[in-house]
Amino acid sequence: MLKHKNKTAFSFLLAILLLSAQSCKKSFLDVPPQAQQTSETFFTTAADATAAVNSVYANLRSFDQTAFGAIAVESVPSDETEKGSSPSDAAFFNLYDNFTYTSTEGQVFGFWNGLYQEVNLCNQVLDNVPAINMDAALKARYIGEAKFVRAYTYFRLVRAYGGVPLRLHVPADQTQYNIPRNSAAEVYAAVEQDLTDAASVLPQSYSSADVGRITKGAALALHAKVAMYQKKWADVLTYTNQVMGLGYSLFPNFEQMFRIANENCSESVFEIQCQSFPNVIGASTSQYSQVQGVRAQTGGGWGFNVPTTALVNAFEPGDPRMDATIIFRGETTPEGDKVDPVGDNPRYNQKSYVPFTVPFVQNEGEDQNIRVIRYAEVLLMNAEAANETGNSAAALNSLEMVRARARGSNAGILPKVTTTDQTALRQAIWHERQVELAMEFDRFFDVVRQGRGPAVFGAKGFKVGKNELMPIPQSEIDLSGGKLTQNPGY
């Protein structure tokens, strides 16, 4: 299968790279693992650079970044999802649903730790690859790919925790490990610089052997999203307009766009590549789909992160995206799976769904890529920025592209939005983001950046001045000797 051959390019040497920044002191116990290369002798050849960059990609699908940590921090606090699974299984998710989590809860640390492991991998590339004697163009591209991933990782950190320690190099000695928090503005500035650098060197597209690697369009699109969170609307407009000129298009079938057969399609701007690797555990195999899969006797997954009634009610009458986003208990999926009519949960995430018959080595759905940025989101960011800068005509045009794809040939649903009133159009664009991007781990942060946290999440327990951010893990504060400070309210 050709598409799997493309994904196989992302092999990795995580053991060397993850461990190299963890030791503070030497001792007679610091013996390198047998048959493994040490980090000090690793970064010498072009092949080493390739392996190091591939490790950056591979670790993006790690458990903390795509499963429990991400679900707890980025999804369950919203109004569109709740814990799911059986009532007694992983009950800690309920703490995130009702905003009673504390700084010592495991997923607060797990998400933080998973992202900083990713930062470490990026920094090793950025510190060491420039000195390698290799093809200059390939070297520049590898540096751009690592800068994009570091920017993506810090963006997830800053929107979840606010200002965080900004580490742009591998610590050279013990004194450089314990650093204080930077301000959110400083983190955002570093993210934007990395994305500017990445966009300047990354190609617009790749040959078939490298499909799935990060492109110029991905760097521009993520830069637009980062600017949107800072309300830099002119920048959002600039970056999205550039992406809109790069040849992306909406995939005709919304539901099928999320299936394995249509990974890296015309709408894909950035998606995390996932594939089975026999006899390799940990970050090599994704549990993104397994954790969210239909909890059923006939197959599927664990049944976490399930859609709420509020999400069902958010869709306009007849919107086909509802059935393409939500698997209802008792239904038969488009791929022919009969979902049990009884069970713990009335609904499941269809965007992460993999048919029960798809074979796997370790985890159900481990071949399912994770869609991170789609062209539809670029259009909606463009619409929002155009409206905020007073260009309602451009906003309506981009908004209509998204609604037209969803509408298809059924002219009786999803009528065109025609209002030019800025407030009303803003609400229409926000609503379109909710239904178009549902279950894609953005809803909570969208509502917070829009200033609507109390109105939307107040009934769940959201507190103003506190729950806009997650707490800094208490274990990290303790290890810092108090150099790290806690967010308000925790």
Side-chain angles (χ1 to χ4, degrees):
M1 297 174 67
L2 180 59
K3 65 183 180 62
H4 285 286
K5 181 180 178 182
N6 294 338
K7 290 194 228 177
T8 305
F10 301 111
S11 60
F12 57 95
L13 297 174
L14 285 176
I16 294 171
L17 299 170
L18 283 173
L19 292 173
S20 67
Q22 293 179 5
S23 177
C24 296
K25 297 181 180 179
K26 291 184 178 293
S27 79
F28 67 92
L29 294 177
D30 292 333
V31 180
Q34 294 298 308
Q36 289 189 14
Q37 189 175 1
T38 63
S39 61
E40 288 79 8
T41 62
F42 177 67
F43 288 98
T44 57
T45 68
D48 293 342
T50 300
V53 173
N54 287 347
S55 76
V56 167
Y57 280 96
N59 198 56
L60 282 170
R61 54 182 178 255
S62 66
F63 192 86
D64 282 334
Q65 292 194 65
T66 64
F68 275 13
I71 289 171
V73 172
E74 296 183 310
S75 187
V76 170
S78 78
D79 58 334
E80 71 178 12
T81 60
E82 56 193 7
K83 180 181 87 70
S85 190
S86 63
S88 61
D89 196 1
F92 58 80
F93 277 121
N94 291 320
L95 303 175
Y96 295 85
D97 194 35
N98 59 28
F99 296 99
T100 57
Y101 48 81
T102 67
S103 62
T104 60
E105 208 297 303
Q107 303 313 311
V108 168
F109 170 76
F111 187 64
W112 170 288
N113 188 57
L115 292 176
Y116 270 108
Q117 284 186 348
E118 191 68 46
V119 168
N120 172 43
L121 292 173
C122 294
N123 285 343
Q124 292 194 56
V125 169
L126 296 170
D127 282 357
N128 293 288
V129 168
I132 296 177
N133 184 16
M134 59 182 291
D135 178 81
L138 182 60
K139 179 191 293 188
R141 197 196 87 195
Y142 280 171
I143 291 171
E145 291 174 71
K147 284 193 173 183
F148 172 93
V149 176
R150 184 170 69 178
Y152 169 62
T153 305
Y154 267 119
F155 171 61
R156 296 177 76 185
L157 280 164
V158 72
R159 75 174 185 173
Y161 299 97
V164 294
L166 187 59
R167 191 180 297 284
L168 301 179
H169 298 281
V170 176
D173 56 52
Q174 187 175 352
T175 63
Q176 296 181 11
Y177 278 86
N178 190 14
I179 60 176
R181 298 175 66 176
N182 291 79
S183 68
E186 289 170 329
V187 177
Y188 273 118
V191 167
E192 293 203 74
Q193 185 61 59
D194 274 353
L195 291 172
T196 297
D197 294 346
S200 71
V201 297
L202 291 175
Q204 185 174 327
S205 61
Y206 291 90
S207 66
S208 60
D210 284 320
V211 167
R213 302 191 87 99
I214 297 156
T215 62
K216 179 184 185 72
L220 291 169
L222 181 58
H223 205 157
K225 191 166 185 173
V226 170
M228 179 178 68
Y229 273 77
Q230 301 171 85
K231 295 181 169 57
K232 295 181 176 180
W233 298 115
D235 288 350
V236 178
L237 206 56
T238 296
Y239 296 129
T240 54
N241 280 335
Q242 290 182 53
V243 178
M244 290 164 67
L246 294 178
Y248 295 98
S249 62
L250 296 173
F251 193 75
N253 188 311
F254 183 86
E255 190 273 336
Q256 285 295 306
M257 173 178 54
F258 294 94
R259 305 289 75 82
I260 291 174
N262 296 309
E263 293 169 344
N264 303 309
C265 68
S266 64
E267 187 166 340
S268 172
V269 178
F270 171 50
E271 56 190 72
I272 296 171
Q273 308 294 304
C274 299
Q275 184 185 354
S276 305
F277 287 91
N279 304 315
V280 181
I281 61 173
S284 65
T285 52
S286 168
Q287 291 183 261
Y288 169 81
S289 288
Q290 181 187 41
V291 167
Q292 299 180 79
V294 175
R295 189 177 179 92
Q297 295 178 348
T298 50
W302 300 357
F304 289 103
N305 198 45
V306 299
T308 61
T309 301
L311 178 58
V312 174
N313 294 336
F315 289 93
E316 295 169 64
D319 189 339
R321 289 175 295 187
M322 182 179 74
D323 280 332
T325 301
I326 303 171
I327 294 177
F328 291 89
R329 188 168 54 195
E331 78 165 76
T332 299
T333 69
E335 287 70 31
D337 287 330
K338 295 182 178 180
V339 179
D340 290 349
V342 295
D344 292 321
N345 304 285
R347 293 170 291 272
Y348 298 93
N349 182 2
Q350 187 149 326
K351 288 182 176 177
S352 66
Y353 159 75
V354 174
F356 301 165
T357 55
V358 172
F360 60 90
V361 177
Q362 297 180 67
N363 312 311
E364 297 95 335
E366 61 198 0
D367 280 337
Q368 169 85 309
N369 281 3
I370 303 166
R371 280 67 170 175
V372 178
I373 303 177
R374 299 190 283 113
Y375 187 53
E377 183 176 11
V378 173
L379 292 173
L380 291 174
M381 289 192 292
N382 182 266
E384 189 168 351
N387 184 55
E388 295 300 332
T389 54
N391 191 341
S392 60
L396 288 169
N397 184 61
S398 292
L399 176 61
E400 172 57 18
M401 290 184 200
V402 177
R403 289 176 70 80
R405 190 267 299 275
R407 186 186 307 123
S409 60
N410 188 350
I413 62 171
L414 301 175
K416 284 187 177 181
V417 176
T418 59
T419 182
T420 58
D421 177 79
Q422 188 181 53
T423 300
L425 184 51
R426 181 184 298 125
Q427 292 294 329
I429 294 167
W430 286 352
H431 172 265
E432 202 66 25
R433 281 189 65 89
Q434 179 183 9
V435 295
E436 173 70 26
L437 305 176
M439 308 299 296
E440 295 183 44
F441 292 66
D442 273 326
R443 170 66 175 171
F444 173 75
F445 300 108
D446 265 347
V447 170
V448 169
R449 73 173 175 85
Q450 293 158 4
R452 299 189 297 145
V456 179
F457 306 138
K460 284 162 52 83
F462 182 94
K463 294 180 176 61
V464 177
K466 175 182 179 181
N467 295 126
E468 293 87 352
L469 298 173
M470 287 285 157
I472 303 299
Q474 187 60 44
S475 58
E476 295 296 290
I477 293 175
D478 294 343
L479 283 172
S480 76
K483 184 170 285 190
L484 287 182
T485 56
Q486 187 55 272
N487 281 326
Y490 296 102

